[in-house]
Amino acid sequence: MSRGDAIECAATYFDDGDFFKDLERRVAIKTESQIFETRKNEMSQYMEEMHQTLAPLGFDTKVFENPNPKAGPIFFAERIEDKKFKTVLTYGHGDVVRGQEEKWLQHLTPWSLFIDGDKIYGRGTADNKGQHSINIGALSAILKTRGNLGFNSKIIIETGEESGSPGLAEFAQINKKILEADVLISSDGPRLQPERPTLFMGSRGSFVFDIEVNLRDGAHHSGNWGGLIGNPALILANALACIADKRGQIQVPEWRPDTLTNSIRVALADCEVDGGADGPTVDPEWGEQSLTPAERVFAWNSFEILAFTAGVPEKPVNAIPGNAKARCQLRFVVGTDVEDVIPALERHLKKNGFTQVSVKAADRGILQATRLDPDNPWVRWAASSIQKTTNKKPAILPNLGGGLPNDVFSEILGLPTLWVPHSYASCSQHAPNEHILGTIMREGLEIMAGLFWGIGELDCNIT
């Protein structure tokens, strides 16, 4: 049997419909981690689904209680063939965001698959049940063709990623020994373009915070008091405008990265951001003017206002509000001092005269920024394998624009991290009508089979 046989076996798994049967079962389990207390039984069902899938493939499995008592269980499986072999750690998450059943198209439900042309609908198809199902399917294809993997495989499936991965870092700290590996190879997030295979090696960090102006209790008649008392919404609007200019360029000096290296520029030089036919068009007049669109989203920081409220927007009255609030987010790359995000903003606001503005971190926690250099040997090997399988040059991104708990693997476990996404930017993840594309799923199975086959033949000197 050959590498080509393994790739063909993985494609047959898709073509014969067995992939859809497996994914249908998994999508049907309502693992909404944002309502974890009412979904404990479903989380256990998903752990059993993973056991029933991996045990026949020769994996030893175990379900761990989460170190965080308010979070769901963590599934672990391993197949150790030879201690001298390379060991690959693979991650996925079995939880999903809320189903939002009432907002899906009339003929769709989030809890069953619906195929419409190339689109395969269902909650978790893109994020992340479909993606880790592909990777497990590729492992199965290797076993069917070679009889063994040729490497050691360890798999983590958590059930809290959509709620910030509570307890995952503690789990990794406690279980460093059993999680020892040579590399992480996993899948999440979107491709750069639907038709172009993509490889990224980390993720931007995310810091969510609130900016508020609280001047007084209650509102006051705008006719009697307009022009006499400060308007919190106007003060806050001007404060926000001094954080980023009219095209969204960050004005806080400490938030502007100095880590855009030549190797990152070279890697991103041929990367064109494209969400597909259903995605928004990149605005050429938005973002850091001196950078390309790819550099703006993968190698730079971005400041966003997620929500802005003052008064009662749905029922406005002729009154000056007493307070105003904006929920904001800084997406940041490696090199940004996380501890200085809020202090730097406070200094900047004070310097610009906004002494009535307060800033505090939100209650969502912080996702750390991570990145592996594009020149790393693991990256070069993976990119070569993907190109060999698809006859396409993969897009190589130093990090995803969004957030992942990649720091658990890169920092706590000290692993080089490779992510091969099997979705695309317009998949409606986290929204109604979530879907994947069948063409990407099939090609993803082929790509992962090629990668896993190659691990079994990999020169042991690669680090």
Side-chain angles (χ1 to χ4, degrees):
M1 290 292 187
S2 67
R3 183 180 189 274
D5 293 322
I7 292 171
E8 183 178 351
C9 180
T12 299
Y13 170 57
F14 182 91
D15 295 339
D16 288 352
D18 292 333
F19 170 77
F20 296 100
K21 293 176 184 176
D22 290 341
L23 186 56
E24 170 74 33
R25 268 195 331 273
R26 294 161 195 168
V27 166
I29 304 173
K30 301 177 181 179
T31 51
E32 299 157 290
S33 61
Q34 292 166 326
I35 51 172
F36 168 67
E37 288 300 321
T38 62
R39 292 296 185 216
K40 289 182 178 180
N41 185 54
E42 284 81 359
M43 299 301 185
S44 296
Q45 286 181 39
Y46 204 80
M47 299 294 91
E48 180 61 21
E49 166 67 23
M50 290 294 98
H51 167 74
Q52 293 293 337
T53 298
L54 288 164
L57 300 181
F59 282 79
D60 296 320
T61 72
K62 182 176 181 179
V63 178
F64 288 83
E65 288 189 14
N66 197 305
N68 186 320
K70 296 182 179 180
I74 297 173
F75 177 87
F76 176 72
E78 65 177 357
R79 178 185 165 110
I80 306 300
E81 295 187 350
D82 191 320
K83 291 183 178 179
K84 293 182 290 186
F85 286 173
K86 292 290 185 185
T87 299
V88 178
L89 180 64
T90 303
Y91 162 88
H93 63 90
D95 66 311
V96 297
V97 298
R98 292 177 185 269
Q100 301 173 290
E101 291 92 332
E102 70 284 357
K103 296 182 179 180
W104 286 56
L105 293 172
Q106 190 172 4
H107 61 288
L108 300 178
T109 169
W111 310 118
S112 63
L113 290 188
F114 184 86
I115 301 174
D116 182 11
D118 197 33
K119 293 182 178 179
I120 305 162
Y121 290 90
R123 178 62 83 217
T125 51
D127 192 15
N128 174 260
K129 293 176 180 179
Q131 301 218 37
H132 64 254
S133 292
I134 284 174
N135 295 348
I136 293 171
L139 289 170
S140 177
I142 302 301
L143 289 169
K144 287 179 181 178
T145 50
R146 186 153 56 193
N148 69 321
L149 294 176
F151 61 92
N152 304 315
S153 175
K154 297 180 179 181
I155 299 173
I156 293 176
I157 305 291
E158 68 156 318
T159 56
E161 196 271 350
E162 300 296 3
S163 297
S165 297
L168 183 62
E170 293 85 348
F171 171 78
Q173 287 280 10
I174 295 168
N175 296 286
K176 276 187 176 181
K177 189 66 179 176
I178 68 169
L179 297 177
E180 284 183 349
D182 293 287
V183 65
L184 175 89
I185 301 179
S186 290
S187 301
D188 205 338
R191 288 181 168 191
L192 181 70
Q193 302 163 354
E195 69 281 357
R196 188 177 185 187
T198 299
L199 178 67
F200 65 86
M201 290 78 73
S203 62
R204 283 201 297 183
S206 173
F207 196 134
V208 180
F209 50 93
D210 294 323
I211 305 179
E212 301 182 42
V213 177
N214 296 296
L215 298 187
R216 62 189 71 88
D217 293 331
H220 295 274
H221 194 281
S222 58
N224 296 336
W225 294 98
L228 298 177
I229 60 175
N231 186 311
L234 281 171
I235 294 172
L236 182 54
N238 280 275
L240 293 169
C242 90
I243 298 173
D245 67 14
K246 64 181 182 181
R247 60 174 291 151
Q249 297 180 117
I250 290 174
Q251 303 300 297
V252 182
E254 295 87 344
W255 289 6
R256 296 177 61 81
D258 59 2
T259 55
L260 182 49
T261 64
N262 186 60
S263 63
I264 292 172
R265 283 188 181 275
V266 170
L268 294 176
D270 70 339
C271 293
E272 181 181 350
V273 181
D274 183 1
D278 299 329
T281 301
V282 173
D283 186 346
E285 302 303 320
W286 187 258
E288 192 66 25
Q289 192 168 10
S290 63
L291 304 180
T292 67
E295 290 169 347
R296 292 171 194 165
V297 72
F298 301 121
W300 200 254
N301 293 353
S302 63
F303 168 71
E304 303 296 342
I305 300 170
L306 307 180
F308 188 168
T309 58
V312 185
E314 62 276 14
K315 293 182 179 180
V317 295
N318 294 325
I320 300 167
N323 52 71
K325 177 180 178 179
R327 171 60 61 93
C328 302
Q329 181 183 56
L330 181 70
R331 293 279 187 179
F332 60 92
V333 296
V334 168
T336 303
D337 185 353
V338 179
E339 299 296 325
D340 195 42
V341 167
I342 286 183
L345 177 56
E346 290 174 332
R347 293 191 298 269
H348 182 73
L349 291 170
K350 184 178 180 181
K351 180 181 177 181
N352 284 273
F354 294 104
T355 57
Q356 296 167 302
V357 178
S358 65
V359 185
K360 64 178 180 180
D363 57 0
R364 287 175 52 180
I366 301 170
L367 282 176
Q368 300 293 335
T370 58
R371 175 185 290 165
L372 183 66
D373 193 292
D375 285 335
N376 184 280
W378 279 105
V379 178
R380 295 197 298 270
W381 165 79
S384 175
S385 173
I386 293 171
Q387 185 160 357
K388 181 179 179 181
T389 299
T390 64
N391 292 317
K392 302 174 185 176
K393 182 182 179 182
I396 299 178
L397 311 178
N399 47 257
L400 182 67
L404 287 169
N406 193 61
D407 60 303
V408 171
F409 310 108
S410 64
E411 307 307 312
I412 296 176
L413 299 180
L415 301 179
T417 53
L418 305 177
W419 294 82
V420 185
H422 306 313
S423 185
Y424 77 120
S426 299
C427 65
S428 297
Q429 70 179 96
H430 294 190
N433 310 318
E434 178 181 347
H435 62 278
I436 52 174
L437 299 181
T439 47
I440 295 179
M441 295 293 99
R442 189 181 191 278
E443 188 172 68
L445 281 160
E446 294 176 326
I447 286 171
M448 299 311 293
L451 282 168
F452 289 142
W453 182 276
I455 289 284
E457 301 177 335
L458 197 60
D459 183 343
C460 289
N461 292 323
I462 191 170
T463 58

